[in-house]
């Protein structure tokens, strides 16, 4: 404790911020990796109507406060002996802290891009080309099957046609959706 008391007041303040903030950051990180903390920094720590899809990144969250203080304190400690001008040191520390928040924001945006909605909707097949898998009987007298690639995955869908029968391996276009799981196709 004598070591801290012997430090200059600004450096001592940086250390008093760095130690508890670093411990909290380590605890947050551990909890995140074991799945206890599922927050992604998009929830505000105050009451407000921010639940809509276009809600901006929440600047005022506990995680962002920790990120800011982590950058501020360790930048201040690291540059203390290099930068002798104290106002410049404080300014650089604040900028590094803001940079930590910005970096966290970029990381969260990239992680959110990984979340895809791969729910198959039959409406997404309209006007798309497909390959006949099982022969489609003529004039809606029975159903055949087509294969189509939607969002990188192949689907088999029951299909009918208004015209002549369509043989396997033919290419067709989906014209409309007849029922919940049957589409109307025509030969290309």
């Amino acid at each position: 404790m004598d070591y801290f008391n012997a430090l200059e007041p600004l450096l001592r303040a940086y250390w008093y911020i760095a130690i508890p903030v670093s411990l909290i950051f380590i605890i947050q990180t551990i909890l995140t990796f074991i799945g206890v903390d599922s927050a992604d920094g998009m929830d505000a720590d105050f009451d407000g109507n921010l639940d809509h899809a276009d809600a901006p990144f929440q600047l005022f969250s506990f995680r962002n406060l920790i990120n800011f203080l982590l950058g501020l304190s360790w930048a201040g400690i690291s540059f203390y002996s290099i930068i002798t001008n104290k106002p410049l040191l404080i300014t650089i520390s604040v900028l590094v802290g803001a940079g930590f928040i910005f970096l966290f924001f970029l990381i969260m945006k990239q992680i959110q891009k990984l979340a895809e909605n791969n729910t198959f909707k039959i409406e997404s097949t309209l006007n798309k080309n497909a390959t006949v898998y099982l022969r489609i009987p003529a004039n809606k007298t029975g159903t055949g099957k087509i294969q189509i690639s939607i969002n990188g995955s192949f689907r088999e869908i029951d299909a009918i046609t208004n015209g002549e029968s369509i043989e396997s391996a033919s290419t067709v276009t989906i014209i409309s959706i007849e029922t919940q799981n049957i589409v109307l196709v025509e030969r290309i």
Side-chain angles (χ1 to χ4, degrees), residues 79-172:
F79 296 133
Y80 193 82
S81 62
I82 298 169
I83 301 172
T84 56
N85 184 351
K86 301 311 177 209
L88 179 62
L89 176 66
I90 293 170
T91 302
I92 290 174
S93 299
V94 168
L95 290 175
V96 170
F100 272 47
I101 293 174
F102 182 72
L103 181 65
F104 179 72
F105 172 71
L106 290 178
I107 291 169
M108 286 299 111
K109 283 295 186 186
Q110 294 302 316
I111 289 172
Q112 286 176 342
K113 287 181 184 178
L114 296 175
E116 287 185 33
N117 183 2
N118 286 330
T119 306
F120 176 72
K121 294 185 176 123
I122 194 124
E123 294 82 16
S124 64
T125 63
L126 283 175
N127 301 316
K128 301 266 192 300
N129 294 337
T131 304
V132 176
Y133 179 66
L134 293 175
R135 186 180 78 74
I136 303 170
N139 301 320
K140 296 184 179 181
T141 57
T143 62
K145 286 200 181 283
I146 59 169
Q147 281 186 333
I148 188 167
S149 175
I150 300 290
N151 295 330
S153 65
F154 279 98
R155 301 282 180 172
E156 286 185 9
I157 303 171
D158 292 331
I160 57 175
T161 186
N162 281 330
E164 299 175 8
S165 68
I166 305 173
E167 298 301 318
S168 295
S170 300
T171 304
V172 294

Side-chain angles (χ1 to χ4, degrees), residues 18-20 23 43 60 64 74 102 104 120 123 133 138 168 177:
I19 292 171
L23 291 174
D43 295 327
F60 301 106
N64 281 344
W74 284 108
F102 182 72
F104 179 72
F120 176 72
E123 294 82 16
Y133 179 66
S168 295
I177 300 167

Side-chain angles (χ1 to χ4, degrees), residues 36-87:
V36 175
D37 177 44
S38 63
D40 58 4
M42 296 304 285
D43 295 327
D45 289 337
F46 54 86
D47 192 21
N49 185 12
L50 299 171
D51 293 332
H52 55 85
D54 297 330
F57 176 71
Q58 295 303 312
L59 186 60
F60 301 106
S61 68
F62 182 67
R63 185 177 297 268
N64 281 344
L65 175 66
I66 296 301
N67 291 337
F68 174 77
L69 292 175
L70 191 68
L72 175 119
S73 60
W74 284 108
I77 292 168
S78 300
F79 296 133
Y80 193 82
S81 62
I82 298 169
I83 301 172
T84 56
N85 184 351
K86 301 311 177 209

